[in-house]
């Protein structure tokens, strides 16, 4: 990049349709498309998973039964369509450059939802060291890095670790998932998060069990509260 | 001096060759960095002259330059080498290919080869023997600038910290990601194709065709055959009119190469076209060992004399082919993509030939042809022997947007299509959002009110585009508005073509216009299809497109390929 690129904002490419003319990685029309779910659904006040508009309660049935340990979770949109395609491309194909636009979308979610308040640290959901060696990158960490940069919040990448290698969550039922993740996250150097409101970042929130497990570890490690933000979330 | 992922292996290898001392000079580095350091060490030693007393000084110097701490440490004791037999098998699989470790694994599995040794060790053993080349998938040049060693580009590299090698400067290539991650810390193993002697028999191969070639095709095919038989020129271009049947012409070159036991690649950018070509090649050359490679093809590593592949797959080939036929050089999505040429050159055996084929050569090739650096075989006439429809330019001053009344000349064209010759009309517009607007604009026109559902829009992003396209093909409605994404691949027997807002130079460049014009008049039942360019002004691109088409017709006329001429004589 030459000096001109810094002085003049050039026409950026929309990361979804690849046409020029994007503001912050998205063209106006794709930006609108990403928000179409708002006509049909609204997020559960606590876990952010999407409920039909007709659903009367503020909370989803699961949160109504037992509130998750995190303060709130929100996502850019449901795990389908372009968003799903982008996540698959990012996570499984390894197109790391998608961290920038997806991180930007995350930052918009956090900035537009007043309930987030002002978190003091961004923390990614970690991978076990074995998985990290196989996969070579942690998608949540890349997202967290962009988010921290865009929001100007400190990034704490090494504080939360996954101590136990567990089989992938996908394909397990709820109970199995719970057992699978029991006590597999741990906080090291808890002095760095004591008393902080932290923002936990992941790519997708489906059952919320991973986020809950991380939250429990963070709270035990001394964090004051934990809020969660993900790129996609499931439909209830 | 060399690099290794497992020093005991190298130690044993060199001990067997009679060397007894070995030092490690660097800490464990990722492959890209290791390569960079090694290159600098070799260069430095070549400059000062190798001697034991200078080793430490050179190490210190290179340490400083590469920002890596180099110092001599004794190497660990040797370990047994992997079985020779297995190394041979891996080598045979790798022949003619450039692959990542896991791809070699997949290739072995696909060919039913099972090995006991660790694959990385096997390949490293081959490398020590000089039987295969080893390089980082993303390497650095002498200045330390990263570049992908698989697709050859350096712009779409993404740096991140890497959990596999632990480096914070591990680059991943996003230019060839669909073939698997090329990364600084990953190795590419390459081995030139096997020596040809006796691998494929020399015998007379001639294409089996259900029809006979036209004179234009026959003459071009003969030229293509001569190009291969003489083997004097490294490159050649078949410049064919749209719908002139260039594949049949390529058969001439193919037959000549196959007869000599050479290995041939037929490649085109798109998967669908590749599959279609493969079917046609199978029919034309029965008895030739053939395989197809594309993103989803089952067997990717079977041996074959004739390979049909998407141009992406060419990035996995290494000095393997004697002849490459590159169809649709200019087609989406490879136009202007350096990776294509990089991959092609690399998959060619030394002394191999490339035959480009297109109706609209990209600017570099066209320029080379004009300067006579690139021999050209022209195929100016269609099999039915009628001239190509020449575009008519319709000026509609002030025509910038689909607004106000439909310009009179456009109405005339519509009337001709709708009431006159019974042909369908395909209208091209320069942008996706114009499709719907133009449909509405046309529907507003009073004159065609009674026709009902006579015009519909279709573009690549439309979910129901396949249904609309099929309905149009069946003739359920006569006029379809579309974007340039459909410029190829649609062939209707009776078709007129209109380009609306043809003055949009960025979208409607000369090649696109030639391709669009090439949709018309493809069949002998309706060779007089019309091509209308409706524009605010005449752009250089429009003029050039008309000139190209006219010159094809003139050439066809001069050579006596046109039917009308035969009749006159
Ligand atoms: Zn867009
Ligand atoms: Zn909930
Ligand atoms: Zn590459
Ligand atoms: Zn790495």
């Amino acid at each position: 990049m030459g000096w001109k690129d810094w002085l003049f904002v050039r026409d950026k490419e929309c990361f979804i349709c690849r046409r020029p003319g994007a503001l912050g990685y998205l063209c106006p029309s794709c930006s609108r498309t990403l928000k179409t779910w708002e006509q049909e659904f609204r997020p559960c006040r606590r876990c952010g998973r999407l409920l039909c508009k007709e659903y009367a309660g503020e909370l989803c049935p699961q949160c109504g039964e037992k509130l998750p340990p995190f303060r709130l979770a929100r996502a850019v949109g449901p795990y389908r369509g372009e968003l799903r395609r982008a996540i698959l491309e990012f996570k499984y194909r390894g197109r790391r450059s998608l961290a920038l636009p997806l991180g930007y979308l995350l930052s918009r979610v956090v900035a537009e939802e007043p309930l987030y308040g002002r978190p003091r640290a961004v923390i990614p959901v970690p991978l076990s060291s074995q998985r990290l060696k196989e996969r070579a990158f942690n998608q949540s960490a890349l997202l967290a890095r962009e988010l921290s940069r865009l929001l100007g919040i400190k990034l704490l990448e090494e504080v939360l670790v996954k101590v136990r290698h567990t089989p992938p969550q996908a394909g397990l039922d709820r109970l199995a998932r719970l057992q699978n993740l029991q006590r597999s996250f741990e906080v090291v150097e808890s002095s760095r998060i004591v008393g902080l409101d932290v923002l936990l970042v992941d790519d997708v929130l489906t059952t919320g069990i991973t986020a809950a497990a991380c939250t429990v570890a963070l709270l035990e490690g001394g964090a004051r509260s934990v809020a969660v933000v993900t790129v996609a979330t499931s439909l209830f | 001096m060399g690099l290794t992922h497992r020093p005991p292996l190298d130690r044993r290898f060199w001990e067997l060759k009679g060397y007894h001392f070995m030092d490690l000079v660097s800490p464990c580095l990722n492959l890209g960095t290791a390569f960079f350091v090694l290159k600098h060490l070799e260069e430095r030693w070549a400059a000062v002259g190798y001697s034991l007393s200078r080793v430490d000084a050179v190490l210190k110097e290179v340490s400083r330059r590469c920002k890596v701490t180099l110092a001599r440490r004794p190497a660990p004791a040797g370990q047994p080498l992997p079985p020779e037999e297995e190394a041979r098998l891996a080598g045979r699989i790798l022949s003619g290919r450039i692959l990542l470790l896991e791809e070699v694994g997949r290739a072995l599995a696909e060919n039913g080869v099972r090995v006991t040794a660790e694959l990385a060790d096997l390949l490293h053993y081959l490398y020590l023997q000089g039987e295969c080349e080893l390089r980082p998938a993303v390497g650095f040049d002498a200045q330390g600038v990263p570049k992908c060693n698989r697709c050859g580009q350096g712009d779409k590299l993404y740096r991140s910290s890497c959990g596999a090698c632990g480096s914070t400067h591990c680059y991943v290539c996003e230019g060839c990601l669909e073939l698997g991650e090329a990364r600084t810390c990953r190795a590419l193993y390459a081995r030139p194709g096997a020596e040809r002697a006796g691998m494929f028999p020399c015998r007379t191969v001639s294409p089996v065709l259900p029809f006979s070639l036209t004179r234009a095709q026959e003459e071009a095919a003969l030229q293509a055959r001569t190009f291969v038989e003489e083997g004097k020129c490294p490159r050649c271009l078949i410049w064919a009119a749209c719908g002139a049947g260039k594949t049949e012409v390529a058969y001439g070159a193919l037959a000549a190469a196959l007869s000599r036991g050479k290995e041939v690649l037929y490649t085109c950018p798109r998967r669908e076209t590749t599959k279609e070509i493969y079917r046609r090649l199978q029919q034309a050359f029965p008895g030739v060992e053939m395989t197809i490679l594309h993103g989803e093809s089952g067997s990717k590593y079977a041996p074959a004399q004739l390979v049909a592949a998407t141009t992406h797959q060419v990035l996995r080939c290494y000095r393997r082919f004697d002849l490459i036929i590159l169809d649709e050089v200019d087609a989406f999505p490879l136009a202007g993509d350096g990776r294509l040429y990089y991959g092609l050159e690399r998959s060619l055996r030394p002394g191999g030939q490339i035959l480009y084929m297109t109706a609209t050569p990209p600017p570099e090739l066209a320029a080379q042809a004009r300067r006579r650096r690139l021999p050209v075989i022209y195929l100016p006439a269609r099999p039915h022997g009628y001239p190509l429809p020449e575009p008519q330019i319709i000026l509609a001053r002030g025509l910038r947007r689909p607004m106000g009344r439909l310009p009179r000349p456009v109405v005339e064209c519509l009337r001709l299509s709708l009431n006159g010759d019974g042909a369908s009309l395909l209208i091209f517009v320069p942008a996706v959002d114009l499709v719907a607007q133009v449909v509405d604009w046309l529907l507003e026109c009073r004159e065609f009110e009674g026709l009902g559902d006579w015009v519909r829009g279709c573009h690549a992003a439309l979910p129901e585009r396949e249904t609309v396209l099929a309905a149009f093909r069946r003739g359920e409605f006569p006029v379809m508005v579309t974007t340039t994404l459909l410029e190829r691949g649609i062939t209707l027997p009776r078709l007129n073509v209109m380009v609306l807002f043809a003055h949009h130079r960025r979208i409607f460049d000369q090649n696109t216009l030639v391709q669009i014009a090439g949709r018309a008049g493809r069949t002998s039942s309706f060779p007089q299809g019309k091509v209308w360019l409706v524009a605010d002004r005449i752009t250089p691109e429009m003029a050039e497109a008309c000139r190209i088409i006219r010159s094809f017709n003139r050439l066809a006329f001069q050579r006596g390929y046109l039917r009308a001429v035969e009749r006159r004589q």
Side-chain angles (χ1 to χ4, degrees):
Chain A
M1 275 211 281
W3 59 273
K4 276 188 181 157
D5 297 297
W6 297 105
L7 277 185
F8 306 106
V9 180
R10 272 198 317 178
D11 257 14
K12 260 186 284 183
E13 213 176 61
C14 168
F15 85 100
I16 287 178
C17 64
R18 296 188 179 276
R19 278 188 302 178
L23 298 162
Y25 307 106
L26 266 179
C27 71
S29 110
C30 288
S31 186
R32 251 176 283 128
T33 317
L34 275 188
K35 292 210 167 230
T36 45
W37 62 268
E38 290 177 355
Q39 294 157 15
E40 288 174 74
F41 307 102
R42 56 176 188 76
C44 160
R45 191 172 161 77
R46 189 63 177 259
C47 72
R49 281 183 289 172
L50 300 176
L51 301 156
C52 288
K53 273 236 160 120
E54 293 77 52
Y55 188 77
E58 286 234 288
L59 295 174
C60 68
Q62 208 176 300
C63 291
E65 214 168 275
K66 181 175 183 289
L67 288 174
F70 45 79
R71 201 155 55 76
L72 84 152
R74 289 291 181 272
V76 179
Y79 188 47
R80 63 180 194 191
E82 289 298 343
L83 208 52
R84 177 155 188 268
R85 216 163 306 155
I87 290 171
L88 292 177
E89 182 89 341
F90 174 54
K91 188 173 173 182
Y92 297 110
R93 272 268 188 97
R95 197 169 292 277
R96 293 160 175 69
S97 58
L98 283 175
L100 274 73
L102 293 177
Y104 162 76
L105 293 179
L106 288 179
S107 75
R108 280 206 325 200
V109 171
V110 175
E112 287 166 12
E113 171 58 83
L115 289 176
Y116 275 108
R118 178 113 191 106
R120 298 284 301 281
V122 178
I123 294 179
V125 170
L127 290 180
S128 71
S129 57
Q130 183 187 332
R131 180 69 48 74
L132 188 61
K133 224 175 164 67
E134 291 162 10
R135 290 270 305 276
F137 76 109
N138 176 357
Q139 71 281 3
S140 306
L142 294 188
L143 292 173
R145 206 168 303 158
E146 295 305 328
L147 191 58
S148 114
R149 194 173 56 78
L150 287 161
L151 295 176
I153 303 173
K154 164 173 72 175
L155 173 71
L156 295 178
E157 224 182 301
E158 326 268 77
V159 168
L160 184 66
V161 295
K162 192 163 188 192
V163 285
R164 220 153 40 78
H165 182 65
T166 52
Q169 290 282 81
L172 298 180
D173 67 17
R174 196 177 156 76
L175 191 69
R177 283 184 186 216
L178 263 172
Q179 287 166 345
N180 189 14
L181 282 185
Q182 215 119 71
R183 313 231 60 84
S184 61
F185 296 99
E186 216 168 74
V187 166
V188 291
E189 282 189 273
S190 59
S191 61
R192 298 179 69 186
I193 59 162
V194 168
L196 294 187
D197 296 316
V198 303
L199 181 58
L200 184 71
V201 180
D202 204 356
D203 53 345
V204 185
L205 184 139
T206 39
T207 54
I209 289 171
T210 308
C214 289
T215 304
V216 169
L218 286 167
L219 292 175
E220 281 175 1
R224 194 168 70 173
S225 76
V226 178
V228 182
V229 65
T230 60
V231 178
T233 192
S234 57
L235 296 168
F236 214 93
Chain B
M1 213 172 8
L3 42 82
T4 179
H5 67 293
R6 205 187 296 288
L9 211 76
D10 296 58
R11 174 129 203 196
R12 181 84 185 117
F13 180 84
W14 292 113
E15 272 169 2
L16 290 175
K17 296 249 177 230
Y19 296 88
H20 292 286
F21 300 97
M22 187 171 130
D23 281 338
L24 297 179
V25 298
S26 91
C28 194
L29 300 170
N30 77 17
L31 187 60
T33 316
F35 235 80
F36 182 68
V37 171
L38 180 65
K39 230 190 289 173
H40 274 271
L41 275 174
E42 282 173 341
E43 232 165 65
R44 206 53 217 134
W45 259 315
V48 299
Y50 182 78
S51 86
L52 261 181
S53 59
R54 290 208 189 94
V55 170
D56 291 306
V58 168
L59 285 181
K60 212 180 230 172
E61 201 186 324
V62 174
S63 295
R64 213 170 37 242
R65 188 162 342 140
C66 299
K67 301 191 182 75
V68 170
T69 320
L70 304 177
R72 281 201 282 173
R73 282 181 292 132
Q79 75 172 43
L81 296 171
E84 186 75 35
E85 179 73 2
E86 294 186 359
R88 293 275 81 78
L89 283 169
R92 199 176 314 147
I93 293 289
L94 193 60
S95 168
R97 299 195 167 96
I98 175 163
L99 300 176
L100 295 168
L101 184 72
E102 82 245 20
E103 291 174 324
V104 179
R106 244 177 275 146
L108 286 170
E110 191 187 287
N111 286 273
V113 177
R114 218 160 297 152
V115 291
T116 55
E118 213 167 292
L119 200 49
D121 291 355
L122 273 185
L123 291 165
H124 190 70
Y125 184 37
L126 282 176
Y127 161 70
L128 286 172
Q129 292 171 311
E131 293 288 326
C132 92
E133 297 164 35
L134 163 70
R135 61 190 74 163
V138 175
F140 299 99
D141 68 8
Q143 276 71 49
V145 179
K147 184 186 140 204
C148 177
N149 276 325
R150 182 163 59 191
C151 70
Q153 60 85 36
D155 294 330
K156 289 182 188 150
L157 297 174
Y158 193 81
R159 192 187 84 186
S160 69
S161 60
C162 174
C165 68
S167 160
T168 52
H169 281 55
C170 196
Y171 290 85
V172 181
C173 176
E174 299 207 336
C176 56
L177 205 53
E178 52 276 37
L179 297 175
E181 257 173 42
R183 222 163 49 206
T184 310
C185 59
R186 274 192 166 175
L188 276 174
Y189 299 92
R191 190 169 196 228
E195 282 304 314
R196 193 179 314 121
M199 199 167 47
F200 296 105
C202 291
R203 70 240 188 260
T204 313
V205 176
S206 45
V208 182
L209 292 175
F211 48 83
S212 55
L213 296 182
T214 62
R215 199 155 59 75
Q217 285 176 323
E218 225 164 64
E219 287 180 17
L222 184 68
Q223 282 176 290
R225 174 182 284 274
T226 318
F227 160 71
V228 172
E229 281 175 352
E230 286 183 346
K232 282 192 301 204
C233 310
R235 310 282 177 268
C236 179
L237 167 67
I238 295 184
W239 193 340
C242 290
K246 52 186 157 48
T247 310
E248 284 77 16
V249 170
Y251 289 170
L254 266 169
L258 293 174
S259 302
R260 281 166 176 69
K262 294 181 169 187
E263 284 175 79
V264 185
L265 171 71
Y266 195 117
T267 177
C268 18
R270 278 174 302 195
R271 188 185 305 156
E272 288 315 310
T273 350
T274 309
K275 285 184 189 165
E276 171 64 28
I277 287 288
Y278 180 61
R279 271 192 294 275
R280 284 164 71 181
L281 289 175
Q282 276 181 321
Q283 281 162 12
F285 296 99
V288 172
E289 243 187 300
M290 222 178 276
T291 184
I292 179 166
L293 303 177
H294 57 74
E296 284 155 15
S297 59
S299 79
K300 288 203 172 66
Y301 307 100
Q305 188 181 8
L306 176 53
V307 179
T310 52
T311 38
H312 266 114
Q313 299 295 326
V314 174
L315 292 176
R316 288 204 176 109
C317 299
Y318 191 68
R319 301 203 190 163
R320 174 169 175 194
F321 300 106
D322 304 285
L323 173 66
I324 294 179
I325 295 171
L326 173 58
D327 204 347
E328 297 190 46
V329 203
D330 55 309
F332 170 89
L334 282 155
D337 191 340
R339 292 184 301 170
L340 169 62
Y341 293 97
Y342 180 84
L344 280 181
E345 297 294 329
R346 190 175 59 192
S347 57
L348 214 54
R349 237 191 259 273
Q353 294 176 296
I354 301 182
L355 186 60
Y356 304 108
M357 298 205 298
T358 178
T360 46
E364 323 85 78
L365 283 187
Q368 282 182 36
R370 221 175 299 122
R371 283 191 227 111
R372 298 188 189 284
R373 296 240 185 85
L374 178 70
V376 181
I377 299 170
Y378 288 101
L379 181 62
R382 287 178 168 168
H384 59 50
Y386 292 97
L388 303 167
E390 292 178 14
Q392 283 166 253
I393 294 176
I394 295 174
L395 279 185
R397 294 275 174 212
L399 180 72
R400 296 283 162 87
R401 280 190 295 146
M403 263 177 63
R405 277 188 52 171
L406 212 55
R408 206 62 232 158
V410 176
V411 176
E412 293 299 324
C413 297
L414 285 171
R415 189 186 291 152
L416 183 69
S417 285
L418 289 170
N419 312 330
D421 51 18
S424 302
L425 173 65
L426 202 50
I427 300 180
F428 289 90
V429 293
V432 174
D433 47 342
L434 277 175
V435 171
Q437 292 176 31
V438 167
V439 169
D440 291 341
W441 196 34
L442 296 178
L443 285 173
E444 272 167 30
C445 183
R446 290 261 176 75
E447 201 170 329
F448 307 113
E449 252 171 2
L451 288 175
D453 179 25
W454 61 277
V455 53
R456 282 203 233 165
C458 180
H459 55 84
L462 199 71
E464 66 270 22
R465 68 166 183 281
E466 294 302 331
T467 13
V468 177
L469 211 62
F472 182 62
R473 274 183 205 282
R474 286 194 301 269
E476 287 174 17
F477 59 99
V479 180
M480 187 166 81
V481 182
T482 183
T483 57
T484 51
L485 270 174
L486 288 180
E487 79 188 32
R488 286 158 215 270
I490 188 165
T491 300
L492 285 177
R494 297 174 75 81
L495 189 69
N496 294 330
V497 179
M498 179 189 288
V499 182
L500 255 184
F501 313 111
H503 52 265
H504 275 256
R505 303 177 60 178
R506 256 208 344 199
I507 306 290
F508 296 122
D509 60 25
Q510 64 210 41
N511 282 348
T512 306
L513 290 173
V514 169
Q515 289 286 354
I516 289 175
R519 298 301 109 206
R522 291 171 83 95
T523 52
S524 56
S525 58
F526 192 69
Q528 72 274 28
K530 299 279 189 301
V531 180
W532 296 297
L533 308 182
V534 183
D536 176 39
R537 62 184 186 278
I538 301 180
T539 63
E541 286 77 11
M542 288 159 66
E544 179 63 15
C546 295
R547 201 194 58 75
I548 291 171
I549 293 171
R550 263 201 306 275
S551 66
F552 266 134
N553 280 340
R554 199 178 316 124
L555 188 64
F557 175 78
Q558 283 164 1
R559 295 197 181 168
Y561 294 152
L562 296 184
R563 183 183 294 252
V565 179
E566 282 166 15
R567 240 184 265 141
R568 221 177 287 157
Q569 279 165 349

